[in-house]
Amino acid sequence: MKQVFALCDMNSFYASCEQLFNPAFRGQPVVVASNNDGCAVARSPEAKALGIKMGQPIFELREYVEKHGLIVCSSNYALYGDMSHRFMLALAECAPRVMPYSIDVSQAVQG
C-alpha cells in the first residue's frame, strides 16, 4: 500500500486566529505584532493586499490604520497554541500519524 503524505500549512495563522475569535475583524486588514509589538509577524490576506510586509515595523503602519482601518493586534500565543493543538487533533482523526513541524505547519501520513 502506498503512503500518502500531506503538508498542512495554515496560511496567515496568527491573523486568522484573531479573525476567528473576533468576528468584527473578518474581512478586515489585520496585522499581528511580535511579542514586543515591534514588527508585523502575521498579516491577513487583506493586510498583504495593502502591501504590508512581513517584519515591517509597527510604527510604520500608522498611515494604514488611519486610511485603511488596519487592525494591529498584540501576539496572543496562548490562543495560537490552543488553536494549533485543536488543528493537530483534527488532523489526527484523518491520519494515523501527524508530525507537527511548527505551531502552524504539520505533516499527516495516511496509509
Side-chain angles (χ1 to χ4, degrees):
M1 175 186 252
K2 285 186 175 182
Q3 282 193 332
V4 176
F5 295 87
L7 179 66
C8 303
D9 184 353
M10 296 179 276
N11 191 30
S12 308
F13 181 61
Y14 296 173
S16 295
C17 289
E18 295 293 344
Q19 288 177 319
L20 178 67
F21 276 85
N22 191 333
F25 292 177
R26 294 179 190 164
Q28 302 301 313
V30 175
V31 166
V32 176
S34 58
N35 57 359
N36 64 355
D37 289 345
C39 61
V41 294
R43 302 155 296 143
S44 69
E46 299 84 2
K48 290 176 185 178
L50 292 175
I52 297 169
K53 305 293 183 212
M54 179 64 111
Q56 187 167 355
I58 296 300
F59 74 86
E60 293 180 358
L61 302 180
R62 179 170 290 155
E63 176 184 332
Y64 294 95
V65 171
E66 294 168 358
K67 289 185 179 178
H68 303 286
L70 176 68
I71 299 162
V72 179
C73 301
S74 293
S75 299
N76 182 344
Y77 295 112
L79 171 64
Y80 313 144
D82 179 62
M83 292 304 297
S84 177
H85 179 72
R86 291 179 191 199
F87 182 71
M88 300 303 166
L89 289 175
L91 280 179
E93 291 181 11
C94 302
R97 290 188 307 178
V98 175
M99 295 172 277
Y101 178 74
S102 68
I103 194 169
D104 69 335
V105 178
S106 66
Q107 181 179 12
V109 180
Q110 181 67 43

